[in-house]
Amino acid sequence: DGVIFDSNNLKIDAFRDALNEFDVVIVDAFIKYFKNNFGTSRYHLLRVFIEVFLKQDFDEKVYRDMLARYGQNCVILYDKSELTKYLLKFLNKYSDKNIFVASGSDQEELRVVFKNRNLDKYFVGIFGSPTKKSELVKNIVSKNKNTVMIGDAKSDMLSAQNNKIDFIFMSEYSTNSDMKKDSSLNSIRNLGDLT
């Protein structure tokens, strides 16, 4: 969904807010990890936060509370997020193609947001977590040959590689500085490069 909404920096703020009761040094370290693992399911990320960054045994209540706060923040941010440049032009140009969303964001949340913003009509399917992105892509590819994945995160690239499909990296909205420097990637700045 970072290819569709200019939401990545807002998601960073949403995580900071959801974790504001914890030590700022720990949260900052987690945010750095999050930026390099964008597109990974929040279900996985919050488990990592508890077990690796807080160095605590997994606590279901703490986990559920953080999920709820982050989810509420995401619903608000999606309502105010700008669309990425040239998105609508891209969707209209390729309206004869089967276009899907495979996201690390919560599936039900995404479907509500896309419907509320009248974007659902452009997509054959909108899929997200808790199913892993690689599995989502596998399911899409099994029914749609000659698939190309456009993404802004390492998880997008890995999902494409795992499913042996082409990957196009969209750099303008990405938070992954390593990918932005990687000249071996087939890259576009934004969707305008494909219209």
Side-chain angles (χ1 to χ4, degrees), residues 11 13 21 25 27 54 69 71 74 78 100 105-106 111 121 125 148 150 160-161 165 171-172 176 179 182 187:
K11 284 183 182 178
D13 294 341
E21 68 189 81
V25 174
V27 173
L54 293 179
R69 283 195 307 271
C74 284
Y78 279 125
F100 296 84
S105 292
D106 183 80
R111 289 178 175 174
K121 64 186 179 187
V148 174
I150 303 168
Q161 289 172 349
I165 60 171
S171 64
E172 185 169 345
N176 191 307
M179 290 181 76
D182 187 346
S187 297

Side-chain angles (χ1 to χ4, degrees), residues 98-135:
N98 289 337
I99 303 175
F100 296 84
V101 173
S103 174
S105 292
D106 183 80
Q107 179 170 288
E108 293 311 310
E109 194 176 280
L110 280 176
R111 289 178 175 174
V112 168
V113 168
F114 275 66
K115 186 174 180 8
N116 289 346
R117 297 205 53 181
N118 201 29
L119 292 170
D120 57 332
K121 64 186 179 187
Y122 294 104
F123 300 93
V124 174
I126 299 164
F127 304 107
S129 64
T131 304
K132 290 184 177 182
K133 190 178 290 184
S134 191
E135 238 355 85

Side-chain angles (χ1 to χ4, degrees), residues 1-6 82-84 87 91 100-101 114 119 123 170 191:
D1 54 299
V3 169
I4 295 162
F5 297 106
D6 183 7
E82 295 290 327
L83 299 177
T84 59
L87 171 70
L91 292 172
F100 296 84
V101 173
F114 275 66
L119 292 170
F123 300 93
M170 190 170 100
L191 293 172

Side-chain angles (χ1 to χ4, degrees), residues 2-134:
V3 169
I4 295 162
F5 297 106
D6 183 7
S7 59
N8 289 343
N9 287 318
L10 294 173
K11 284 183 182 178
I12 291 167
D13 294 341
F15 253 131
R16 277 194 194 284
D17 183 66
L19 304 175
N20 69 5
E21 68 189 81
F22 300 101
D23 184 296
V24 69
V25 174
I26 294 171
V27 173
D28 285 346
F30 172 75
I31 293 298
K32 184 176 180 183
Y33 172 82
F34 175 49
K35 285 180 179 180
N36 287 320
N37 291 279
F38 238 91
T40 303
S41 164
R42 70 184 67 169
Y43 300 95
H44 172 76
L45 289 168
L46 287 173
R47 189 174 279 275
V48 167
F49 178 72
I50 293 169
E51 295 174 345
V52 176
F53 289 87
L54 293 179
K55 297 181 170 83
Q56 296 177 358
D57 290 335
F58 182 76
D59 183 317
E60 187 72 30
K61 183 183 181 324
V62 170
Y63 175 72
R64 291 282 166 210
D65 288 347
M66 287 188 291
L67 273 176
R69 283 195 307 271
Y70 182 68
Q72 290 165 350
N73 290 345
C74 284
V75 169
I76 294 165
L77 78 84
Y78 279 125
D79 283 338
K80 65 181 182 180
S81 291
E82 295 290 327
L83 299 177
T84 59
K85 291 178 190 170
Y86 307 105
L87 171 70
L88 295 177
K89 186 176 180 183
F90 172 86
L91 292 172
N92 286 312
K93 178 174 181 172
Y94 295 101
S95 62
D96 62 329
K97 306 293 182 198
N98 289 337
I99 303 175
F100 296 84
V101 173
S103 174
S105 292
D106 183 80
Q107 179 170 288
E108 293 311 310
E109 194 176 280
L110 280 176
R111 289 178 175 174
V112 168
V113 168
F114 275 66
K115 186 174 180 8
N116 289 346
R117 297 205 53 181
N118 201 29
L119 292 170
D120 57 332
K121 64 186 179 187
Y122 294 104
F123 300 93
V124 174
I126 299 164
F127 304 107
S129 64
T131 304
K132 290 184 177 182
K133 190 178 290 184
S134 191

